[in-house]
Amino acid sequence: MAKPRVLSGIQPTGELHLGNYLGAIRNWVEIQQQYDSFLFMADLHAITVPHDPTKLAANTYQVAAMYLACGIDLNHATIFVQSHIPAHSELAWLFSCITPLNWLQDMVQFKEKAVKQGENVGTGLLTYPVLQAADILLYEPDKVPVGEDQKQHLELTRDIAARLNYLFGKPESPVLKLPEPMIRAEGARVMSLADGTKKMSKSDPSDLSRINLLDPPDQIQYKIKRCKTDSIRGLTFDDPERPECNNLLSLYMLLSNQTKAAVTAECQDMGWGQFKPLLTDTMIAALKPIQDRYHEIMAEPGYLESVLRQGREKAEAIANPTLAKVKAALGYSVPV
Ligand code: TYM
C-alpha cells in the first residue's frame, strides 16, 4: 500500500533559525519513515516582501542543503524548488478567482506584515495564502507539518479546497482532497530571545532575537548571554508571568531530548547564571553535526543541482495531473 503523503515548505529568506528547525524540519525528519514527503523551498513566497535578487538563488540552495543537513533522507523525501514548477503559479491564479477578498484581509500574517510595510504593501503579500493553498493542494497530501503560525493558512487552504469542490465538483467525487494540519505541541512556537511573547522570526531586525542554525559557537554563547531573562530564582515551565523562562527551558528540553519532568527536576532550583552555560553547551552540541554536514553538502559540486533536478521531476509528476484535473473541472479546453 502507498504511504500517506506529507508536504511542507520554508521561505528562503535569510538564514534558517531554531524556530524553523524545531517547529518544522525536525518533525519532518522524525516522521519521514512513515510518509512520502514532499519538501520545497518557497521561493515564490520569498518575493512578497522586498528581496535581493543577487541572493535569492543562493538562499534557495542553502535551504535545500539545510534540509539534508538536518537529516532529510532522499529515500523517503523529495526536495524541490517551488518556482521550478509552473503549476504552483497557475493554480494560484485559478484559486484567486474563487477566493473572497475578505478571507485574505483577515489573515493575521498579512495584517502584521502589511503594517510593517506601510503604503508600499504589495498585492503578493495579500494573495500569498492563495499561493500557499496551491502549493499544498497540488500534491494532495494527507498532512501538512508546520509550526503554529501557519495554522490559519492551513485553514484557509481547506476553505479554498472546499469552495472549489462545492462550486465545481460533485459531492461523490470532490476535485480536491482536504489535508489535515500537523502541528506538534512541542516546538510549535519558539519565541524570540529578546521578547518571550513574540515568535522567533527571520524578519526580526535584530539578529540577537534568534539563533540561526549556522551560528558559530561564540555567537551562540554571546546571544544566550545577552538574551532576556528575569530576576526570579528557580526556573519553571508554563508561568504566564515568565514567558522567557518557559521559552529557554523548552529549548533546553527539546535540544537535549529530555522530558519536561526531567528538565523541571534538573532546573527548578537553578539561577540564570547556572542555566545559561548549560543551555549554551547543549545548543552548540545539538547544532554542530548539522553545521558540519551542511558545509560538506555545500562543498560537493553539482550535488544539490542533481537533488533538485530529480525533485522537480518527481514533484511535477504529481502536481501537473492535479492542475489538469482542476482546469477540467473549471471547464478549460485542453490544448490540441
Ligand atoms: P516560514 O518560512 O515562515 O517558516 C517555515 C516553517 O517554520 C515554522 N516556524 C516556526 N515554528 C516554531 N516557532 C517559530 N518561531 C517558527 N517560525 C517559523 C513555520 O510554522 C513553518 O512551518 N508560508 C510558509 C511557507 C510555505 C508553506 C507552504 C508551508 C509556503 N507554502 C505550503 C507549508 C505548506 C512560511 O512562510 O513559513
Side-chain angles (χ1 to χ4, degrees), residues 150-260:
Q150 296 300 316
K151 194 168 174 218
Q152 202 186 23
H153 290 161
L154 298 192
E155 282 159 8
L156 182 89
T157 298
R158 289 172 59 88
D159 288 345
I160 291 175
R163 187 167 166 93
L164 189 132
N165 287 343
Y166 171 74
L167 292 172
F168 301 105
K170 298 191 187 80
E172 65 281 11
S173 59
V175 186
L176 292 167
K177 172 168 159 177
L178 271 63
E180 299 288 336
M182 185 191 244
I183 301 173
R184 286 269 194 94
E186 287 160 355
R189 224 173 139 68
V190 174
M191 309 313 276
S192 157
L193 297 183
D195 178 351
T197 63
K198 271 176 38 187
K199 71 166 188 177
M200 187 177 283
S201 155
K202 297 189 206 100
S203 59
D204 191 312
S206 168
D207 194 53
L208 289 179
S209 69
R210 60 187 160 259
I211 301 285
N212 301 309
L213 300 182
L214 292 175
D215 279 346
D218 57 344
Q219 200 149 1
I220 294 176
Q221 190 180 27
Y222 180 71
K223 286 179 175 179
I224 297 296
K225 207 177 247 174
R226 293 281 307 270
C227 78
K228 185 171 174 203
T229 53
D230 52 33
S231 52
I232 304 168
R233 214 191 141 74
L235 307 178
T236 49
F237 283 101
D238 301 324
D239 181 342
E241 303 291 315
R242 306 183 69 190
E244 288 81 19
C245 185
N246 186 60
N247 188 43
L248 296 172
L249 276 184
S250 302
L251 289 178
Y252 176 60
M253 173 184 80
L254 292 166
L255 294 172
S256 64
N257 291 310
Q258 294 190 72
T259 61
K260 200 168 176 175

Side-chain angles (χ1 to χ4, degrees), residues 35-68:
Y35 291 91
D36 191 15
S37 303
F38 282 76
L39 307 170
F40 69 101
M41 284 65 72
D43 59 344
L44 295 171
H45 281 93
I47 66 163
T48 52
V49 291
H51 83 289
D52 180 349
T54 63
K55 298 210 176 119
L56 183 59
N59 277 342
T60 305
Y61 272 71
Q62 285 158 7
V63 173
M66 199 46 101
Y67 289 178
L68 294 164

